[in-house]
Amino acid sequence: MPEPSISPLRSIGRRVLGALLALVATVLIVYAGRAGYRDVNGDGLSLLDAFYYSTVSLSTTGYGDITPVSATARLVNVLIITPLRVLFLIVLVGTTLEVLTERSRQALRIQKWRSKVRDHVVVVGFGTKGRASVKTLLGDENVEPNRIVVVDTDQQALDAAAALGLVTVHGSATRSDVLRVAGVQRARAVVVATNRDDSAVLATLTARELAPKAHIVASVREAENVHLLKQSGANQVVVSSETAGRLLGMATSTPVVVDMVEDLLTPESGLAIAERAVEQSEEGGSPRHLSDIVLGVVRDGRLHRVDSPQVDAIEPGDRLLYVRKVTPADHNE
């Protein structure tokens, strides 16, 4: 769960420094008022004796061989030494208590989150592809940040995801216990955006085993591995290298087409490809005659192109894939 934190070594260092300051302050107080203390040896208090008395007093050991006898020394013990003793114990024991308390609190938070979260999105890998998919989910899909779970082995990537308010899970998505922590069994969608195709196959296979009904979208570098992702349970597979290669090839002869494709794939500005339900007034009509630029019709979970004879007439329950205007045209010039 995202929350700010400091380094454990830095936290321990601060506590040790605080304990040493409390000890030094006690030594100086005792040594300054050494005339009010009595040692069983009867030879007065030296600086070493002050250190000894301060150490056994702050640690609540208290052997009794050095005791305050004057009223001033006893008053100083009540008003100063005792609070320093409590502070010393809090500093030393506080680290252990804080760790135990934080672990318990974090476990309760995770348990509470896992018991309530439903229909969330699990993103495996927070590299370039994973970040882009999350950006689209937050922008175009309007998914709340706390309903996106990022699974990665790179702590820096997880820190970047946590800074966006996303829930993060450290570990390999090829392990079922890691995906269970991410609640993949109750997720509505899983985005597999790993850097290696073999990892994508294993992560997809593990996710499909835990979430038979989730919609799994995976990215691969090589087209020859598409069938492996399909066999592993991916609903859709995107070949990142071929897609980029096609755009590069198109850019050599028709660069404006590439600009338009990038515009359609950028949800926050210009034009964007979106999906919506059919309105009642549109039922029975042709999708080619609507005011929106319709690219396809989704019927019974299958996508049909707008020129397909199967979707000459719009039926109730259909969904339209259309070009949505995000910003006015003059904003993009």
Side-chain angles (χ1 to χ4, degrees), residues 33-275:
R34 59 187 179 276
Y37 291 83
R38 181 177 61 189
D39 189 354
V40 293
N41 296 328
D43 54 358
L45 260 68
S46 63
L47 184 60
L48 179 59
D49 293 332
F51 265 105
Y52 167 75
Y53 174 77
S54 300
T55 303
V56 297
S57 296
L58 293 183
S59 62
T60 68
T61 305
Y63 295 111
D65 48 351
I66 300 177
T67 56
V69 292
S70 68
T72 302
R74 291 180 178 180
L75 183 62
V76 168
N77 266 260
V78 172
L79 298 180
I80 300 179
I81 304 300
T82 299
L84 285 174
R85 180 185 299 119
V86 175
L87 176 63
F88 186 84
L89 292 176
I90 290 176
V91 169
L92 289 185
V93 183
T95 301
T96 303
L97 293 178
E98 183 180 4
V99 170
L100 295 177
T101 303
E102 181 60 27
R103 286 182 178 178
S104 300
R105 185 171 59 182
Q106 183 77 343
L108 290 175
R109 291 178 62 198
I110 294 176
Q111 184 177 1
K112 183 179 180 181
W113 175 82
R114 292 180 63 188
S115 64
K116 290 184 177 181
V117 69
R118 294 289 189 280
D119 298 328
H120 58 293
V121 180
V122 177
V123 178
V124 177
F126 202 64
T128 303
K129 294 178 289 186
R131 293 170 192 259
S133 64
V134 167
K135 184 179 180 180
T136 302
L137 289 170
L138 295 176
D140 194 37
E141 301 296 331
N142 295 321
V143 179
E144 295 295 329
N146 60 0
R147 301 192 67 82
I148 300 177
V149 183
V150 174
V151 180
D152 206 312
T153 55
D154 186 357
Q155 187 58 48
Q156 291 185 349
L158 295 179
D159 293 340
L164 298 176
L166 311 179
V167 181
T168 61
V169 175
H170 186 278
S172 174
T174 60
R175 296 175 50 186
S176 59
D177 56 338
V178 174
L179 291 182
R180 284 194 181 94
V181 173
V184 72
Q185 60 272 26
R186 294 182 298 275
R188 69 172 176 86
V190 180
V191 177
V192 181
T194 59
N195 294 325
R196 295 175 50 179
D197 288 1
D198 54 349
S199 300
V201 172
L202 292 176
T204 302
L205 188 63
T206 307
R208 177 56 70 199
E209 181 182 9
L210 296 175
K213 297 182 179 180
H215 187 80
I216 300 179
V217 182
S219 171
V220 292
R221 292 178 177 270
E222 304 296 335
E224 61 186 15
N225 295 324
V226 171
H227 73 285
L228 295 177
L229 268 299
K230 291 283 189 179
Q231 292 177 357
S232 300
N235 299 99
Q236 289 178 299
V237 181
V238 177
V239 184
S240 57
S241 58
E242 286 197 356
T243 302
R246 292 192 189 99
L247 292 177
L248 291 173
M250 293 169 59
T252 60
S253 56
T254 55
V256 291
V257 176
V258 177
D259 293 338
M260 180 58 67
V261 172
E262 291 182 346
D263 186 14
L264 291 173
L265 295 177
T266 306
E268 63 269 12
S269 63
L271 302 175
I273 300 177
E275 182 181 340

